[in-house]
Amino acid sequence: MAQRNLLEKILKAGRQQFPSLFVLSFLTNLLLLVSSIYMLQVFDRVLASGSIDTLIWLTIIAVLAILSYGFLEFARRKILSRNSTWIVENLSPEILRRNVSARLKVGRSPASLGDVRDLRNFVGGDAILAFFDAPWSPVFIAIIWLMHPILGVIAVTGAVVLLTIGILNDVITRRPMAQSNAHMRQVYGDAEAFVHNADVLEGMGMTETVAQRWRQRYGEAEREGAGAVEAALILYNMSRSIRLGFQIAILGAGAALVLRAELTAGGMIAASIILARALSPVERAISAWKGFGSYRLAKAKLAHLFRITDAPADRISLEKPKGRLSARELRYLAPETQEALIKTVTFQLSPGQICAVLGPSGSGKSSLCRLLVGAWKPSFGEVRLDGADMQEWPSEERGRYVGFLPQDVDLFSGTIAENIARMGPVIDEKVLAAAQKSGAHDMILSLPEGYETQLGLYSDQLSGGQKQRIGLARALYGDPSLLVLDEPSSNLDGNGEIALQKALQLMKAAAQTVVVVTHVPSLLKQADKIAVVNAGTMIKFGDRDEILKDMIPKDRVPHQKPHAAE
C-alpha cells in the first residue's frame, strides 16, 4: 500500500517544509516594511526635528533589518532548492521504472521524467514564492487602510483588479498551453529519434526532408500555443500598467490628504511603497501562472501513470527453475489498437530442450518471444516456468533465470563488462564465462580497451554483429534456466554463426531450455523441437525431424522407378 501511494507520499513529505517557508515568508514580508517605515520616520520625525542622531540610529536599524531580510530570503530559497532536489532524487527512479512498465503494458507512458522536471521547476523556483507572499498582501492593505480609509479603498480596488486579471489569465491560457506543451514534447521526441537514426537519414539523403518536416511540425506546435502566450503577455503587461496606475493614484490621493492635513508627507510616501509591495505578489502570481499550470498538468500525468501501473509486491523468492517451459492458449492484443498479434499458441518444453521457431515475417515470432520472457503480459492464457506464472515473479528476480536476445540489440551507456553484467555489479568470473560461452571473448579482447570499452546510445565503434554477440553474452550471464533468442544470427558472419552453434551446444549440455527464432538451416540441427507460427497462430509443433518432413513439399520427394519386369 505504501508503494502504491509513493507519489503522494513524496509530495506530502515535500509539503512538510511549507510551514517553515510560511514563517520565513511572514518574516521577510514584515522586514520589507522597513523601507516604508524608514521613509515615514525620516519625513515626519528627522526632517521635522533636525536630529542627526535620530537619523543615524534609524539608518543603522534599517540596514540591520535589510541584512536580516537578505539572510532569511536566502534561507527560504535554499529550503526550496533542497526540497525540490530531494523530490526529484526520490521520485525519478520510480517514474523510470513505471515508464518501462507502462510502455510494456499499454504501449506508451502518459508521463515522463520531463514531468518530474516541471514539478521541480515550480516547487524550487520563483513561481511558488509568489504564492507564499500573496497571503501577506491583505496585511499590507490593512496597514494602508489604517493610514487612511480612502487609501485603503484604492489598495483594495487595485488588488481586486489584479486578482481578476490573474483568474482571466488562467481561464484563457490553461487548456491551449497544456495542448501546446504536449505537442511540443512529442516534436522534441521526434527530433531525438531522427538523431538516433542519423546514418539512415544521411545515407538515403533524407536529412533535409526530415528537417523541413520537423520544422513544419514545430511551427504548428508553436502556433498552437502562440495565442495563449500572447494573451498571457498582454494580461501581464496590463497588470504592470495597472499597478503603476494605482501607485500614482495613491500618491495623488495621499497628496490631497496631505493638503487637507489628514495625512503626513511621510505617510503619503510610505503608502505608495506599501501598495507596491501589496500588489507585487499578485502581479508575480500572474507571470508565475504558466509554471503553476505546468506543475498541475505534470502532477496529473504522474498520478495517472501511478494509477495504470502496479507497484512491486513482496513475494516469496522461488528457487532457481530447471527450465520446464509451458505456454497455454496464449493470446495477445496490442494495447492501443487491440489488434491480435498472437492468436493461439500452446506448447511445452522440457528442461534442456531447444525449440526453433519458424514463420514468415510479421507472423508474430518476436511478439511470442516477448511473451515468453515475461516482458509482455498475455491478454489471455499464461506462460509458466517450472509451474510458476511468469507475471507472478518480480522482474528483477525473474531476470536472474531468464536470458533474452532481442532481434535489435541495444547496448547501454557503460562498459562492455557492465552491459554483459546487465548493468549490475560486475562479477568478473560470470562476465568472462558468459563472453566465452557466447564466443564473444576474443572479439572483445581485440578492442582497444577490451572489456572496459565504453558504449552508449550513439556508440558507432561496434558493428551489428559485434553488438549481437555481446547481447548474447548478456543473455547468457548468470547461466539462466531459459534463453529466448530472436534471430540471433541475423548480423553474424561465418565465424559468428560457428560461434553461435557452439554456444547452442553448450546451452544444451548445460540443460538450459532454449527458444530460438531462426531461418538458418545449420541452427535447426541443434533443435529438438520446431514450432511453426503463421499470422499469430502456432500451426505446427513437434519433434524436429517430423516437422521438417511435413514441411518438405511432396512433389520434391524423389520417387523410385519400378523395376522393369524381367
Side-chain angles (χ1 to χ4, degrees):
M1 186 68 178
Q3 281 288 338
R4 207 175 309 145
N5 296 317
L6 182 61
L7 175 64
E8 288 77 9
K9 284 184 63 180
I10 290 177
L11 294 180
K12 182 179 180 181
R15 288 193 294 269
Q16 290 178 355
Q17 304 297 324
F18 284 8
S20 58
L21 287 169
F22 190 79
V23 172
L24 288 174
S25 297
F26 167 72
L27 294 175
T28 54
N29 280 274
L30 191 64
L31 289 171
L32 283 172
L33 291 173
V34 168
S35 59
S36 302
I37 297 173
Y38 181 76
M39 294 292 294
L40 181 64
Q41 295 299 316
V42 168
F43 272 88
D44 295 347
R45 179 172 297 182
V46 174
L47 295 182
S49 65
S51 174
I52 297 297
D53 290 339
T54 302
L55 178 62
I56 291 174
W57 282 108
L58 283 175
T59 303
I60 291 174
I61 294 172
V63 169
L64 291 175
I66 291 172
L67 291 175
S68 300
Y69 163 78
F71 174 77
L72 293 175
E73 181 69 11
F74 171 78
R76 70 170 183 165
R77 288 180 181 274
K78 190 70 173 179
I79 291 174
L80 285 175
S81 176
R82 289 187 175 182
N83 188 40
S84 62
T85 300
W86 180 86
I87 289 175
V88 171
E89 287 179 352
N90 285 272
L91 193 57
S92 294
E94 182 68 10
I95 297 303
L96 181 59
R97 190 193 68 78
R98 289 180 181 264
N99 272 335
V100 173
S101 178
R103 175 68 178 84
L104 296 173
K105 185 176 182 179
V106 298
R108 59 186 177 90
S109 175
S112 67
L113 291 177
D115 296 300
V116 180
R117 184 174 61 250
D118 288 342
L119 287 183
R120 177 178 185 170
N121 290 342
F122 178 75
V123 174
D126 289 335
I128 196 171
L129 291 179
F131 293 93
F132 277 112
D133 291 337
W136 307 112
S137 292
V139 176
F140 295 132
I141 293 174
I143 293 174
I144 295 174
W145 192 287
L146 291 175
M147 296 175 71
H148 199 283
I150 292 179
L151 302 182
V153 170
I154 295 173
V156 169
T157 304
V160 170
V161 171
L162 290 183
L163 184 61
T164 303
I165 292 176
I167 295 173
L168 185 63
N169 178 58
D170 178 53
V171 172
I172 293 176
T173 64
R174 181 193 300 180
R175 180 172 294 181
M177 288 301 296
Q179 293 174 347
S180 176
N181 288 340
H183 193 180
M184 190 63 71
R185 190 164 291 176
Q186 182 179 0
V187 169
Y188 280 112
D190 291 342
E192 292 181 4
F194 294 148
V195 174
H196 181 48
N197 293 279
D199 52 346
V200 176
L201 298 182
E202 189 65 22
M204 301 182 68
M206 298 168 58
T207 304
E208 186 61 29
T209 303
V210 165
Q212 291 299 327
R213 178 180 174 86
W214 185 86
R215 179 181 179 182
Q216 180 181 357
R217 295 194 62 193
Y218 177 83
E220 292 172 356
E222 281 284 356
R223 287 189 293 273
E224 191 174 19
V229 172
E230 290 180 2
L233 287 174
I234 291 172
L235 293 174
Y236 174 67
N237 287 289
M238 185 186 298
S239 68
R240 295 193 66 181
S241 301
I242 290 174
R243 179 176 64 81
L244 293 173
F246 274 100
Q247 281 190 261
I248 293 174
I250 207 167
L251 278 173
L257 292 173
V258 170
L259 294 176
R260 294 171 58 181
E262 296 183 25
L263 188 70
T264 65
M268 176 188 69
I269 301 297
S272 176
I273 296 174
I274 295 174
L275 178 66
R277 184 59 201 164
L279 299 184
S280 176
V282 182
E283 180 186 343
R284 284 162 54 210
I286 295 174
S287 62
W289 205 260
K290 179 181 178 181
F292 178 64
S294 298
Y295 164 81
R296 187 168 48 190
L297 177 63
K299 183 181 176 183
K301 291 164 67 176
L302 291 172
H304 180 49
L305 174 64
F306 272 72
R307 283 195 299 271
I308 65 173
T309 54
D310 300 321
D314 294 331
R315 293 187 173 94
I316 297 177
S317 296
L318 301 176
E319 62 181 2
K320 182 177 181 178
K322 294 181 173 59
R324 187 175 71 257
L325 178 68
S326 64
R328 185 178 65 85
E329 298 179 1
L330 276 187
R331 189 179 181 194
Y332 181 76
L333 307 179
E336 294 184 314
T337 63
Q338 293 300 300
E339 177 187 359
L341 302 182
I342 297 295
K343 299 175 182 177
T344 304
V345 171
T346 298
F347 71 96
Q348 182 170 328
L349 295 176
S350 299
Q353 286 188 325
I354 296 180
C355 176
V357 180
L358 308 179
S361 298
S363 60
K365 302 186 298 296
S366 294
S367 299
L368 177 60
C369 289
R370 295 185 179 96
L371 289 168
L372 294 180
V373 298
W376 287 359
K377 183 178 181 180
S379 303
F380 302 95
E382 60 186 9
V383 178
R384 292 184 177 273
L385 185 60
D386 277 26
D389 193 326
M390 281 288 194
Q391 297 301 318
E392 294 300 317
W393 271 347
S395 175
E396 292 295 322
E397 184 175 345
R398 182 182 64 229
R400 294 200 297 266
Y401 309 135
V402 175
F404 180 40
L405 177 64
Q407 190 169 355
D408 297 318
V409 179
D410 283 323
L411 302 175
F412 306 109
S413 295
T415 65
I416 288 179
E418 289 171 334
N419 272 270
I420 293 176
R422 304 185 181 187
M423 307 311 293
V426 176
I427 302 175
D428 294 345
E429 296 80 6
K430 291 186 177 181
V431 169
L432 291 173
Q436 290 169 349
K437 192 172 183 177
S438 67
H441 178 68
D442 292 337
M443 179 272 293
I444 295 173
L445 291 181
S446 68
L447 298 174
E449 297 181 56
Y451 283 89
E452 299 306 313
T453 301
Q454 288 286 338
L455 305 175
L457 183 61
Y458 301 111
S459 175
D460 57 357
Q461 55 188 312
L462 298 180
S463 67
Q466 288 174 318
K467 290 180 181 179
Q468 199 160 37
R469 292 168 76 172
I470 294 173
L472 179 58
R474 181 176 61 189
L476 286 165
Y477 182 78
D479 290 325
S481 303
L482 170 66
L483 287 131
V484 178
L485 314 177
D486 189 0
E487 296 283 4
S489 60
S490 58
N491 293 309
L492 299 182
D493 55 15
N495 292 330
E497 288 190 11
I498 293 173
L500 178 59
Q501 292 181 40
K502 291 181 179 179
L504 288 173
Q505 293 171 0
L506 292 173
M507 294 177 208
K508 179 179 286 189
Q512 293 173 298
T513 304
V514 182
V515 176
V516 55
V517 176
T518 185
H519 295 287
V520 179
S522 59
L523 296 184
L524 295 179
K525 296 178 181 178
Q526 309 296 332
D528 301 295
K529 302 284 186 179
I530 287 182
V532 182
V533 178
N534 192 15
T537 301
M538 184 173 286
I539 57 176
K540 292 181 181 181
F541 176 77
D543 292 336
R544 178 196 61 193
D545 295 338
E546 293 181 3
I547 298 298
L548 290 178
K549 182 178 179 181
D550 291 341
M551 292 176 66
I552 297 175
K554 300 298 182 182
D555 57 359
R556 293 181 58 184
V557 178
H559 297 281
Q560 288 186 342
K561 295 181 180 180
H563 294 286
E566 296 181 358

